[in-house]
Amino acid sequence: EVINLSRNVIIQGDETSVENEYGVHIMLTSPKLGLKSTHGKLSNVEVRFAGQAFQLGRYPIHFHMIGDVEGSYVKNCAIHDTFNRAVTIHAVNKFQVMNNVAFNIMGHTYFIEDAVEVENHIKYNVAMLTRSSWSLLNTDNDPASFWITNPSNFIEGNRACGSQAYGFWMDLPTGSTGLMAGLPNFCPRGMPLGSYKDNVSHSNAHYGLRVFPEFNPKNKSCGKN
C-alpha cells in the first residue's frame, strides 16, 4: 500500500504530545442526542499527534452522540501518529467516512462505538499500522483497523494492513453498549447487514476478517427468525 500523509492544512498537538501521549482532538456534539444542531464537513486535512491516551472520548476526529447527520462527512483526510484511534463514530447515523488514510494509530482505527450507529458509509479508507493500546477498551489490546459493532452500515472498498491484531473485526453485542447501554428491543447481533464488500485486508498479525463472538441476522432482530 502507498498512502500520502501530507495535507496543506495541519491540525496537530504540541511539542509535548509525543512524550505524554496527549494530543489534539476534534469533537463535534450536540446539547441533546438527535437535536440535529450539529453537522460537520472535514476534508483534505492532516491530523497528527492527536488523541489522548488513557482518556476515553478524546479521539483525533470524533462525531459524538448527534444522531442523524446526513450530509456530514470526513473525506480525504490523513490521520497519523495518534495516541487514541483515528475516526470515531459514536451514536451517529448517515455519516460519511470516505477516502481517508490512517497510519500508526493506537487502538481501533476506524471505530464504531456503542453499537447503535446505523446507515453510515465507511468507504475507500486505508488503515496502516494499527497498534495495541493498554489504556482504552479491553478489545484494544488486540486492535482492529476497522472495529464494527453494528452490521447495518456500509463498509466498502477499504484496505486494512499491518495491524498488530485484526484488519476488520465485527464485534457485535447483544444490546447497545457504553453511554447508550440499555436501549429496549435493540439487538445489534440480530440486525441485517448493510453491506460489506470489496474490502482488502493483509499483513496483519492475526485475522484479516474476524466475526466474533457471533452474527446471526434475523427477521426480528431481538427474536427468532
Side-chain angles (χ1 to χ4, degrees):
E1 308 294 337
V2 177
I3 58 177
N4 180 3
L5 296 177
S6 299
R7 302 291 188 273
N8 289 334
V9 177
I10 300 172
I11 301 172
Q12 65 180 10
D14 62 21
E15 63 276 3
T16 68
S17 290
V18 174
E19 179 181 359
N20 297 323
E21 296 185 335
Y22 191 91
V24 65
H25 74 100
I26 302 167
M27 181 177 183
L28 282 75
T29 188
S30 286
K32 185 178 179 181
L33 179 64
L35 192 61
K36 299 183 180 179
S37 62
T38 302
H39 282 71
K41 298 179 179 181
L42 192 65
S43 65
N44 296 289
V45 172
E46 179 181 349
V47 182
R48 63 190 185 190
F49 313 132
Q52 299 168 5
F54 313 104
Q55 299 285 332
L56 286 174
R58 297 296 180 262
Y59 311 121
I61 300 174
H62 182 191
F63 278 63
H64 175 75
M65 301 185 73
I66 314 174
D68 291 349
V69 294
E70 190 170 10
S72 291
Y73 57 74
V74 176
K75 295 181 179 179
N76 305 310
C77 292
I79 307 106
H80 62 95
D81 300 296
T82 78
F83 317 113
N84 193 342
R85 317 204 188 288
V87 179
T88 292
I89 302 168
H90 186 192
V92 168
N93 309 315
K94 302 178 180 178
F95 180 39
Q96 296 182 51
V97 178
M98 302 178 67
N99 297 301
N100 303 289
V101 296
F103 172 75
N104 192 25
I105 306 299
M106 183 182 291
H108 303 307
T109 298
Y110 297 95
F111 179 64
I112 299 176
E113 188 156 352
D114 281 352
V116 300
E117 299 82 5
V118 297
E119 298 184 47
N120 297 292
H121 294 257
I122 303 170
K123 299 181 178 180
Y124 315 117
N125 304 285
V126 177
M128 186 184 297
L129 185 55
T130 297
R131 298 182 292 114
S132 299
S133 173
W134 305 96
S135 66
L136 302 172
L137 303 176
N138 289 337
T139 56
D140 287 287
N141 300 345
D142 295 299
S145 294
F146 295 81
W147 198 61
I148 304 159
T149 55
N150 191 303
S152 296
N153 292 287
F154 305 98
I155 317 294
E156 301 179 8
N158 302 286
R159 305 181 78 86
C161 53
S163 170
Q164 289 188 335
Y166 308 107
F168 298 83
W169 182 359
M170 287 193 181
D171 186 5
L172 310 177
T174 56
S176 55
T177 64
L179 294 177
M180 300 298 294
L183 290 182
N185 301 314
F186 191 84
C187 305
R189 192 172 293 178
M191 293 175 66
L193 181 68
S195 65
Y196 181 91
K197 65 180 183 180
D198 300 328
N199 299 294
V200 174
S201 187
H202 64 85
S203 309
N204 302 295
H206 295 323
Y207 310 133
L209 170 62
R210 188 188 199 205
V211 182
F212 182 84
E214 182 182 352
F215 178 33
N216 184 17
K218 302 175 181 179
N219 293 330
K220 297 181 179 179
S221 64
C222 294
K224 297 181 179 180
N225 285 322

